[in-house]
Amino acid sequence: MTSNNTSIKITEFIISGFDSVNMPVAVGVVILIVYVVGCLANIINILFIVYDKKLHKPMYLLICNLAVVDILYTSSASPTMIRTLVTGVKTISYVPCLIQMFDFNFGAVMEMFALAVMAFDRLLAISCPFQYHSYLTNARTLILIFILWVVGCCLVAVLPAIVTHLPHCYSVLKYAFCDYPAIIRTTCSDIEYYFNMIAITVFIILFFTFGFICLSYFGIIFFVKVSSSSDKKKMSSTCLSHLIVVTCYYCPVFVRSILTRVGVVLSLQERNGLIIGSFLGPPLVNPFVYCLRTKEIKYKIFKLFTKH
C-alpha cells in the first residue's frame, strides 16, 4: 500500500476478502458445486422453453429471461471467488476487474427488473384473464424485456465511468471480488461522496422495483378476494413461485443495503456472506422453484426421465 495522498498506477488488484477463511479450498468447492448446479438448472429451463413451442407464451418468456439474468448474475463473480479460494491466486487485472464490477451490478439490477415485470405479468393474468393474451403478446413481452436490458445497462454504465476517472492509492480489495465499494475504497478520493451518490441510485431502483411488486400483489389480493374458491386456489398457486423467488432475492439485499445504512454494523465475513448468498442463492433456487411449481415444465421433465 501507499500513502493516502500518493496515487499509483494500478495494473492489477489483490483480493483479500477471503484471507480470514479457515478452509478456503473446501469453501471454494462448495461455491463451485452451487454455481455449476445453478447454471445447469437455468440452462435446462431455457432449453425447455426455447425448444417447446407450446411454452412460447409471455409467462415462460419472462421465466426464460430470469434464467438468463440468473446466469449472468452468478457468473459475474463466482469464477473469480472459486479461483481465489481453490488455487490461491488473489490477483485480478484492472480491466477484467472493472468488467466484473459492471457485470455484477448489471445482474443485480436486471434481477430486480425481471422480478418486477413478472409481478406485473401475474397481475395482468389475474385481473384480465380473458384479455391477457391480447394485452401482453409475445412480441410486446420481448420488446419490454429488451427495453429493460437497455435501461439496466445505461444505469450501471455509470459505475465504471466513475471509477476510471479516479486516482488509486491502494491495490488491495477488502472484499471477495470486484464490487463497486471494494474498488472505490482503493481510490484517493472522498469515498463518502461516491458511496452516497450511488446509494441514492440503488435505493431508487430498489424501492421502485420492490414497491412495484408490492403494488402488484395488492392488486392481486383484491382480485383474489372477489374470485371463487377454485380460482383463488389457482391464483395462489400461480403467485407462490414468484413470491418465493422475490423473498429469496430481496431479503439479503435489504439487510445489506438498508440496515447497514441505518447503523447496523456487519463484519467483513457477514457482509461477504450476504453478498455471496445474494448472487448464489436465487440462481440456484429460481429454476427449481419454477420447474417444480410450473406444471408444463414439470411435465416435460417427468416425460423426459420416464421415456423408454
Side-chain angles (χ1 to χ4, degrees), residues 7-275:
S7 63
I8 58 174
K9 181 176 176 59
I10 295 289
T11 57
E12 62 181 20
F13 291 104
I14 301 168
I15 299 171
S16 66
F18 291 119
D19 286 355
S20 60
V21 174
N22 294 325
M23 296 185 292
V25 175
V27 174
V29 170
V30 171
I31 292 175
L32 173 62
I33 293 170
V34 173
Y35 171 63
V36 171
V37 172
C39 285
L40 285 176
N42 279 293
I43 289 170
I44 290 170
N45 251 6
I46 293 169
L47 292 177
F48 274 127
I49 293 169
V50 169
Y51 284 103
D52 190 346
K53 291 185 178 180
K54 293 180 181 178
L55 299 181
H56 292 183
K57 302 174 184 177
M59 184 181 79
Y60 296 104
L61 294 178
L62 294 175
I63 292 174
C64 189
N65 175 62
L66 180 65
V68 173
V69 171
D70 282 340
I71 293 171
L72 167 67
Y73 194 26
T74 193
S75 297
S76 62
S78 295
T80 298
M81 294 194 308
I82 293 165
R83 185 194 64 171
T84 302
L85 288 163
V86 175
T87 68
V89 177
K90 299 180 180 180
T91 57
I92 181 170
S93 299
Y94 181 77
V95 173
C97 190
L98 293 187
I99 293 173
Q100 184 178 98
M101 177 187 68
F102 175 85
D103 288 344
F104 172 74
N105 288 281
F106 186 36
V109 169
M110 288 310 303
E111 191 85 16
M112 289 186 274
F113 283 174
L115 294 176
V117 76
M118 290 173 83
F120 173 72
D121 168 73
R122 291 301 82 205
L123 173 63
L124 203 59
I126 289 172
S127 61
C128 309
F130 300 109
Q131 296 86 11
Y132 170 71
H133 290 292
S134 60
Y135 289 160
L136 195 63
T137 62
N138 287 349
R140 288 174 182 173
T141 302
L142 291 173
I143 291 170
L144 179 59
I145 290 171
F146 175 75
I147 291 172
L148 291 176
W149 278 81
V150 172
V151 171
C153 185
C154 292
L155 288 172
V156 179
V158 174
L159 300 182
I162 291 172
V163 171
T164 51
H165 288 87
L166 298 177
H168 293 270
C169 285
Y170 309 109
S171 61
V172 177
L173 301 176
K174 292 184 177 181
Y175 303 135
F177 61 97
C178 297
D179 193 8
Y180 175 79
I183 297 177
I184 210 72
R185 288 183 188 279
T186 67
T187 66
C188 313
S189 308
D190 177 14
I191 62 173
E192 281 302 315
Y193 170 76
Y194 292 101
F195 275 148
N196 292 334
M197 182 171 60
I198 296 302
I200 293 171
T201 306
V202 170
F203 286 154
I204 290 172
I205 297 172
L206 189 62
F207 281 112
F208 174 77
T209 54
F210 187 72
F212 186 84
I213 291 170
C214 290
L215 288 174
S216 297
Y217 273 96
F218 285 144
I220 289 170
I221 291 169
F222 171 78
F223 285 105
V224 166
K225 280 186 174 181
V226 298
S227 302
S228 64
S229 298
S230 59
D231 287 339
K232 285 180 181 179
K233 186 176 180 181
K234 185 179 178 181
M235 291 174 184
S236 300
S237 178
T238 302
C239 295
L240 184 58
S241 300
H242 185 258
L243 280 172
I244 293 171
V245 171
V246 168
T247 303
C248 186
Y249 177 75
Y250 276 97
C251 279
V253 171
F254 271 119
V255 172
R256 192 179 80 246
S257 301
I258 308 300
L259 295 185
T260 54
R261 302 301 296 185
V262 296
V264 176
V265 179
L266 298 175
S267 66
L268 180 62
Q269 291 80 9
E270 290 169 338
R271 187 185 186 281
N272 282 341
L274 280 173
I275 294 177

